[in-house]
Every structure is written in structure tokens, then in C-alpha cells.
Amino acid sequence: LAMSIGERVGFGLSVVYFATFLQTAYGLTPAGVALPLGIVAIGNIVGTLLGGQVADRLPDRRRTFALSIFSSGVTALALYGWTPGIAATVALGCAFSTFSAMSRPSLMAALATVPEEVRGTVLGLNTTAACVGWIGAASLGGWIMASFGFGAFGPFIMAVSLIAAVLAMMGRR
């Protein structure tokens, strides 16, 4: 379940603060972030669709989770560490969202492999873990932004993504 917290912290941090990042980095107005946010959200939809197909076709769901979440961390390094222009930043945001979303179906499928008698409990705990991740994303993101700036988002997301990937490969639940 720590894998779920890691995924939510990384994704949540980006979702909660991406509009502010765009406003700060590119001087966009609140109305000006609408289209970029919509494009990034499309990445989330594409990622869950692709992730479901991957989870159904590849037998090692923990590995597919690990590769997807690690890819989201690598993408976050570029997303928050490099601001070449609004189009490239939005494309990186869409890629980050896609990779992050691709990890979720594999995670859910891996969690569902527990015995039927405890499956509801495990999946319920996953929802709780995701909520903890959102709380961590909002609170840690505010602290990171205020203390270090947006450039620190990439390394932080990479770190939580790497931890989640390592936990997945170690076979922990």
C-alpha cells in the first residue's frame, strides 16, 4: 500500500500545483491555464486506458507498475527542471500524467491478487492510502514550493516514484 501512497504523492503534487507552476513560469492568467490543464488531463485518460491494456497483457503487474511510475518520475525531472516553452511544458505534463496513470491499473490488479476473504479490506486500504497520498501531496508541495521553488518538485517526485517502484519490485503490499 506504500506504493499507492507514493504514486498519489507524486501525481497529486503535480495536479495540485501545476496551474500555479504554469502561472509562475509563463505568466499565464487563471483563464490561460484552462487549455493546458485540459491537455494534461487527457494524458491521464490515455494513461489509464493504456495501463489497463498493459495490466491485462503482461503477467508481472508489479514490474509494469514499477516501470510506469519510474517513467513518471523521470518525466517529472524534465517537467519541473526545464522550462523551454509552454508547448513543451504542456507536452511534458501530458507525458507525466500518462505515465503516472498507466501505473494505476497494474497496481490495482496486483492488489486484487490477495485471497478473496481480505480483498475488500486491501482495496479499501488502498483508497485510504491514496487519500494519505493526496494529503501529503498538498502539504509537502506547499512546503517544497515555498522553501525551494518548483525546481525541487521534479527531484521530489522522482524520489517518491523510485521508492514506490523499488517497493513494487520487492513484492511488498
Side-chain angles (χ1 to χ4, degrees), residues 69-141:
I69 201 70
F70 181 78
S71 297
S72 76
V74 171
T75 307
L77 288 172
L79 173 61
Y80 290 104
W82 179 52
T83 49
I86 186 71
T89 297
V90 171
L92 285 167
C94 187
F96 168 80
S97 183
T98 300
F99 286 129
S100 182
M102 281 181 71
S103 73
R104 289 181 219 126
S106 292
L107 174 63
M108 294 302 295
L111 290 173
T113 62
V114 298
E116 187 177 330
E117 299 81 36
V118 295
R119 192 170 298 140
T121 300
V122 169
L123 294 177
L125 286 171
N126 180 60
T127 303
T128 302
C131 291
V132 169
W134 278 107
I135 293 167
S139 56
L140 290 171

Side-chain angles (χ1 to χ4, degrees), residues 10-23:
F11 180 72
L13 184 90
S14 193
V15 168
V16 169
Y17 293 100
F18 193 65
T20 306
F21 170 66
L22 291 175
Q23 289 175 311

Side-chain angles (χ1 to χ4, degrees), residues 141-166:
W143 174 74
I144 291 168
M145 183 178 60
S147 299
F148 306 103
F150 284 110
F153 275 30
F156 181 77
I157 294 170
M158 181 71 238
V160 296
S161 297
L162 183 60
I163 290 167
V166 168

